Amino acid sequence: MKDRREFLKISALGSLGVVLLNSCGGAAAGDVDRKKYGVGLQLYTIRDAMNADLQGSLKKLSDLGYKNVELAGYSGGNFYGLKPNEFKKIIDDLDMEIISSHTMVEAAGVTLDNAKIMADSHAEIGVKYCIQPWVNAEDRQIETYKRMIGDWNKVGEIMKDAGIQFGYHNHNFEFKNIDGVVPYYDVFIPEMDKDLITLELDLFWASKAGQDPVEMFEKYPGRFQLLHLKDMKTHEDPFFEVEKEDVTNVGDGVIDFKRILAAKETAGVKYTFVEDDNQGNGKPFEGVGASIENLTTEILV
């Protein structure tokens, strides 16, 4: 926390350009227009910094070269405590774009009225996608999955009427065999209406579960409009616990992003977002800085 406060203090004093120049090989000084690559960030990655200094944190992302953002702060019609138009103005003024938002539809279901409010609020802020990001541990049974997906299809219809594509973001538990059934392949994909629900594939969690994203793209072409880019330090046998300590900066681990992204047209990918569940182990802006540098100098070139 001390390191983070000192970093934020330095940034507030106007020294961010010096920090970035030292860590990013001069890109922050204008040598590379990173925004032309359209790299996005899932804002869950910097959640503590956002809580401490929303506008300052977003400016740092823009200065690093992030073009797009995916939100993780919707509640009751507001985003990060601000009205949709208020938050959107901050993003617009930083030459960034809101592409997507993570928002939860609980297992108990969502009323159509609440779903309409959710859709209208997201339409007002201008997102293209609204994503279901998680299923609570107690709800990970086959019949519960089926009921939830039925609700998500209804939400997808409401979102579609508002001009928004609904979607689902995986972790690794969806690939765990339950009495001969692998939920992601045997329940999620077949039960989801492909016109109403797209898939946001998290490459870290899928890889942790022993899946090959390229094989997934080839088997289910066009189903994956969004990707989460996060790297892992080691290849291990598939496991299904929530294990975040193996997350590392994009390009600093063992996932072959070039191979995966070479198949993005088959997958139907339209947008990608960097994410780090661990917030860079206390240094979120150093982590997201390293990720966008690796992407724009080694992976996307």
Side-chain angles (χ1 to χ4, degrees):
M1 289 299 296
K2 181 179 178 182
D3 290 343
R4 183 184 292 129
R5 286 196 297 269
E6 290 177 352
F7 180 82
L8 293 174
K9 185 184 293 182
I10 291 170
S11 300
L13 292 174
S15 299
L16 179 61
V18 176
V19 175
L20 294 175
L21 181 62
N22 291 335
S23 63
C24 299
D31 294 342
V32 176
D33 178 13
R34 290 177 173 173
K35 285 190 177 179
K36 72 180 182 180
Y37 291 95
V39 179
L41 185 81
Q42 164 50 252
L43 295 181
Y44 183 72
T45 303
I46 58 166
R47 54 194 178 276
D48 289 347
M50 289 281 287
N51 287 335
D53 180 5
L54 185 145
Q55 293 198 38
S57 297
L58 292 171
K59 184 178 186 305
K60 289 172 189 175
L61 295 183
S62 180
D63 289 343
L64 282 167
Y66 282 91
K67 178 62 179 175
N68 299 325
V69 293
E70 182 174 61
L71 312 182
Y74 170 80
S75 179
N78 292 330
F79 297 87
Y80 298 94
L82 299 175
K83 295 183 183 302
N85 63 322
E86 294 172 338
F87 188 85
K88 186 176 187 303
K89 185 178 187 307
I90 295 173
I91 296 295
D92 290 345
D93 288 347
L94 291 170
D95 188 30
M96 294 194 294
E97 185 175 356
I98 302 168
I99 299 297
S100 180
S101 173
H102 278 197
T103 184
M104 191 80 165
V105 177
E106 301 292 348
V110 60
T111 67
L112 297 185
D113 287 342
N114 285 340
K116 185 67 165 55
I117 292 171
M118 186 188 302
D120 289 344
S121 298
H122 281 85
E124 185 177 351
I125 207 169
V127 303
K128 294 178 172 66
Y129 298 88
C130 193
I131 305 297
Q132 171 78 16
W134 180 251
V135 175
N136 291 328
E138 63 271 20
D139 299 317
R140 297 172 192 170
Q141 296 92 34
I142 299 302
E143 292 307 314
T144 305
Y145 283 146
K146 290 181 178 179
R147 177 166 50 82
M148 292 181 75
I149 293 168
D151 287 336
W152 298 344
N153 284 331
K154 294 176 184 176
V155 173
E157 290 182 5
I158 293 171
M159 290 289 176
K160 185 175 182 179
D161 288 341
I164 297 169
Q165 173 69 64
F166 196 53
Y168 181 78
H169 166 274
N170 67 281
H171 287 75
N172 54 353
F173 57 81
E174 298 93 337
F175 300 99
K176 185 176 182 180
N177 191 305
I178 302 176
D179 298 327
V181 176
V182 178
Y184 196 82
Y185 297 121
D186 299 331
V187 181
F188 281 75
I189 289 179
E191 297 277 342
M192 289 175 175
D193 186 322
K194 65 181 180 180
D195 294 324
L196 300 175
I197 305 178
T198 192
L199 296 168
E200 179 175 58
L201 187 66
D202 188 300
L203 299 178
F204 171 88
W205 290 116
S207 298
K208 270 299 174 191
Q211 308 304 304
D212 182 336
V214 175
E215 291 182 2
M216 295 172 70
F217 299 162
E218 291 171 350
K219 188 173 182 180
Y220 303 102
R223 296 293 298 270
F224 305 89
Q225 293 186 32
L226 307 176
L227 295 181
H228 267 194
L229 310 180
K230 65 172 75 118
D231 217 336
M232 63 185 186
K233 297 174 184 176
T234 60
H235 277 301
E236 299 179 6
D237 291 337
F239 67 94
F240 302 97
E241 300 300 322
V242 175
E243 178 57 65
K244 298 180 179 181
E245 295 306 315
D246 205 32
V247 175
T248 191
N249 306 323
V250 176
D252 287 348
V254 297
I255 293 179
D256 189 346
F257 289 101
K258 272 188 171 292
R259 172 178 173 267
I260 293 169
L261 292 174
K264 67 180 182 181
E265 289 189 10
T266 299
V269 172
K270 296 182 179 179
Y271 297 97
T272 60
F273 301 95
V274 171
E275 186 186 35
D276 183 340
D277 299 32
N278 283 336
Q279 303 187 92
N281 290 315
K283 298 180 180 179
F285 293 103
E286 290 185 20
V288 298
S291 289
I292 195 169
E293 180 178 12
N294 291 338
L295 280 164
T296 56
T297 60
E298 300 175 9
I299 296 171
L300 297 176
V301 294

